[in-house]
Amino acid sequence: MDIQDERTRLLDADGSEESDVRSEQDIYLDKVWNGKLYLAAFVSVLGPLSFGFVLGYSSPAIPDLMASPDPRLRLDPNQASWFGSIVTIGAAVGGLLGGWLVERIGRKLTLMFCSLPFVFGFAVIASAQNLWMLYAGRALTGLASGVTSLVVPVYISEMAHQRVRGTVGSCVQLMVVTGICGAYVFGVFLPWRWLAVCGSLPPTLLVVGMCFMPETPRYLLSRGRRREAEEALRFLRGPEAPVQWECARIEEACDQQGAGFRVSDLREAGVYKPLAIGVLLMFFQQATGINAIMFYAENIFEDAHFDNRALGTVIVGLTQVFFTGIAAVIMDRAGRKVLLCISGVAMAISAAVFGVFFHLTEGGHSGVESKVEGSLGVEPQVDLAWLALASMGVFIAGFALGWGPIPWLVMSEIFPSRVRGFASAVCVLTNWGNAFLITKFFQNLLDLLTKAGTFWLFASMCAINVVFTVVFVPETKGKTLEQIQDKFRGTRAL
Ligand code: BGC
């Protein structure tokens, strides 16, 4: 029995208005089995796991390399800062490459492709004989991270359905933070070369696993490959679901939207509105200062007399994993907007408290040296250091609950298929470009504004985030991708 017949049967049997509420969509989704959808999502998030590992890698590797007995590989502070930040430049370029690849060769092959620069980059680092090999390896793994941060959210949102899209989509960030934490934990035991070898395992598994996973039905239908799209849907929705029904809905949307991106599309509300929202979400994510605070975490731990730096970073990593996990579980019930607001408020307050902490302890200094004064016996700082520790905890937990996962999730939900590659590339470029600026010029910002001023700047950005969320960010919970795009085009109420 097809979906329309079943709906008519339900209406006849009940006869009441209430049955009307059970839309065709609900009837369809009740027949869906999600096992293989989760499997495909699990394989694809080995990509974000690898990219998290790349981000976390520098934290344990830099101290090792700065103390290297081989002078060709010994990093000075300036080289160490490039070793850390070159990844973000590679990733910004990777975002552009990814945007082009997803349209040319499809989502699945792009995902398989990004394993190459991951594995090759880690191999170059593991066998490095000089500084340039270290930089090249970091740039390559950065490039792979950029491609991954574009293609995986797109892959997941195009194959998931609205009942689970938030949770499955949030697993992208969950795996990023798991990768970061994994690099910190393994970094405690492994020297930098072996750590690089370890980093190449998830992308190797990714390429093997993806051989058995389907291309997304939306990509296939946008290329007119209906039979393959039905097969992909049958894989993803299980044997009970009448997948022709979903295929027809997606096909209708593809026909309405037309194929291929043209520059003139930017004049349409259905394109420029989501693009502006996506770009601003990425800008604001970085403007919270998350990367600066993660970078600064080790100093905070030292101020608080936590002598074990490595343990400190592991605690930061675990906090992120825990709260990102909570966000993933509640995403489809709580909705994106509520979580973004809670997250923004938590970060605004904690960054402001951070500023107060520095204002009280800094005594006019702007550099990292104030911790030395702290340990030289200016006693009140010892107690206040716990304030810094607490606000760092709240900040990181707040980020993990909203501004960590949601910009990536919303980016993958709001664009019409034909511009998804281009528009996501612009978002990824904005994100990584800003991540580079913040990590590279954080010290200059401290010199210019003092530490207190810098953290108050971050706090004000977080407050602006909240206003931006309330006014502009649409709620995408429980909507199909097509309904979300209709809303931007103004053709149907959301
Ligand atoms: C951000 C990265 C950040 C990471 C940390 C990601 O969502 O894009 O810049 O380093 O989260 O959790």
Side-chain angles (χ1 to χ4, degrees):
M1 185 184 303
D2 80 6
I3 298 275
Q4 270 104 358
D5 291 346
E6 179 147 352
R7 184 158 179 261
T8 316
R9 186 184 63 79
L10 280 170
L11 281 169
D12 288 349
D14 188 315
S16 74
E17 289 293 304
E18 256 168 54
S19 312
D20 216 24
V21 176
R22 273 185 61 76
S23 63
E24 289 180 14
Q25 237 169 51
D26 286 327
I27 298 171
Y28 175 74
L29 289 177
D30 286 346
K31 294 177 184 291
V32 162
W33 180 71
N34 289 323
K36 289 204 179 142
L37 166 68
Y38 293 145
L39 178 69
F42 175 76
V43 173
S44 70
V45 293
L46 289 169
L49 183 75
S50 319
F51 124 51
F53 202 92
V54 172
L55 287 180
Y57 179 79
S58 52
S59 180
I62 283 179
D64 257 16
L65 283 162
M66 287 179 90
S68 169
D70 181 346
R72 291 170 310 160
L73 292 167
R74 197 177 307 133
L75 302 180
D76 64 29
N78 183 40
Q79 292 163 338
S81 118
W82 278 109
F83 183 80
S85 58
I86 207 166
V87 160
T88 50
I89 304 181
V93 177
L96 293 180
L97 177 66
W100 181 74
L101 281 176
V102 285
E103 297 304 340
R104 296 296 297 202
I105 61 172
R107 287 49 168 156
K108 173 179 164 165
L109 284 183
T110 305
L111 238 166
M112 295 174 80
F113 160 85
C114 60
S115 301
L116 283 178
F118 269 131
V119 175
F120 192 54
F122 274 123
V124 172
I125 296 177
S127 57
Q129 298 302 316
N130 56 47
L131 193 61
W132 293 106
M133 287 181 79
L134 289 177
Y135 287 161
R138 289 290 282 166
L140 275 171
T141 50
L143 184 92
S145 303
V147 179
T148 311
S149 60
L150 184 140
V151 64
V152 178
V154 170
Y155 182 74
I156 290 183
S157 76
E158 287 191 353
M159 65 175 187
H161 55 79
Q162 66 267 35
R163 282 198 187 160
V164 295
R165 201 180 55 237
T167 293
V168 185
S170 304
C171 290
V172 171
Q173 177 73 3
L174 182 60
M175 294 311 261
V176 172
V177 292
T178 305
I180 295 178
C181 190
Y184 293 166
V185 172
F186 285 109
V188 174
F189 312 104
L190 295 175
W192 62 274
R193 284 192 199 273
W194 282 106
L195 195 59
V197 173
C198 190
S200 60
L201 297 181
T204 310
L205 289 179
L206 169 72
V207 78
V208 176
M210 278 311 291
C211 294
F212 305 99
M213 299 301 130
E215 176 54 277
T216 75
R218 279 181 176 76
Y219 176 80
L220 292 168
L221 286 169
S222 72
R223 298 292 184 277
R225 290 153 64 182
R226 169 129 193 174
R227 197 185 48 78
E228 288 166 77
E230 276 184 20
E231 268 168 35
L233 275 173
R234 209 161 290 125
F235 177 92
L236 295 167
R237 304 286 183 256
E240 300 290 307
V243 293
Q244 294 82 355
W245 181 84
E246 190 178 353
C247 245
R249 300 289 85 71
I250 305 174
E251 229 167 16
E252 267 168 33
C254 288
D255 290 347
Q256 274 175 21
Q257 291 176 7
F261 168 69
R262 290 173 308 266
V263 180
S264 58
D265 292 342
L266 290 171
R267 287 202 293 265
E268 287 173 27
V271 176
Y272 71 75
K273 280 190 191 167
L275 183 57
I277 289 174
V279 166
L280 284 170
L281 278 172
M282 292 305 179
F283 169 79
F284 281 129
Q285 187 201 52
Q286 291 302 323
T288 60
I290 178 65
N291 284 309
I293 288 180
M294 281 171 53
F295 160 79
Y296 209 79
E298 294 193 2
N299 294 325
I300 310 280
F301 277 108
E302 276 183 30
D303 280 352
H305 294 249
F306 249 81
D307 295 333
N308 192 336
R309 286 165 72 110
L311 181 65
T313 48
V314 171
I315 292 174
V316 170
L318 288 174
T319 310
Q320 288 218 56
V321 173
F322 180 74
F323 285 96
T324 312
I326 293 187
V329 173
I330 62 178
M331 188 64 70
D332 281 312
R333 264 163 285 162
R336 293 35 161 176
K337 265 183 107 132
V338 173
L339 287 177
L340 278 178
C341 289
I342 296 174
S343 159
V345 170
M347 286 192 294
I349 295 173
S350 50
V353 174
F354 241 129
V356 172
F357 164 79
F358 286 125
H359 185 66
L360 295 175
T361 57
E362 190 171 49
H365 294 281
S366 59
V368 193
E369 330 74 35
S370 72
K371 69 174 184 286
V372 178
E373 286 163 35
S375 49
L376 282 179
V378 185
E379 273 313 309
Q381 296 190 9
V382 175
D383 294 335
L384 286 177
W386 286 97
L387 181 69
L389 210 58
S391 36
M392 184 176 69
V394 174
F395 187 94
I396 286 176
F399 179 82
L401 271 181
W403 280 90
I406 297 177
W408 297 111
L409 175 63
V410 172
M411 173 192 88
S412 68
E413 295 178 324
I414 56 180
F415 301 126
S417 323
R418 70 178 196 284
V419 299
R420 201 165 280 145
F422 165 80
S424 309
V426 178
C427 291
V428 172
L429 184 67
T430 309
N431 187 289
W432 288 106
N434 281 296
F436 170 73
L437 293 177
I438 295 212
T439 42
K440 195 77 193 87
F441 298 110
F442 181 50
Q443 187 58 49
N444 306 60
L445 211 56
L446 294 177
D447 293 340
L448 189 72
L449 299 177
T450 75
K451 283 198 268 185
T454 305
F455 281 87
W456 284 332
L457 177 69
F458 290 149
S460 354
M461 294 311 294
C462 295
I464 300 176
N465 285 355
V466 177
V467 178
F468 166 73
T469 305
V470 173
V471 180
F472 294 108
V473 178
E475 180 52 73
T476 53
K477 173 183 89 169
K479 309 283 183 284
T480 65
L481 297 186
E482 288 70 29
Q483 285 169 332
I484 298 168
Q485 288 137 31
D486 282 349
K487 157 83 177 163
F488 283 115
R489 290 210 312 265
T491 49
R492 201 188 298 166
L494 194 60

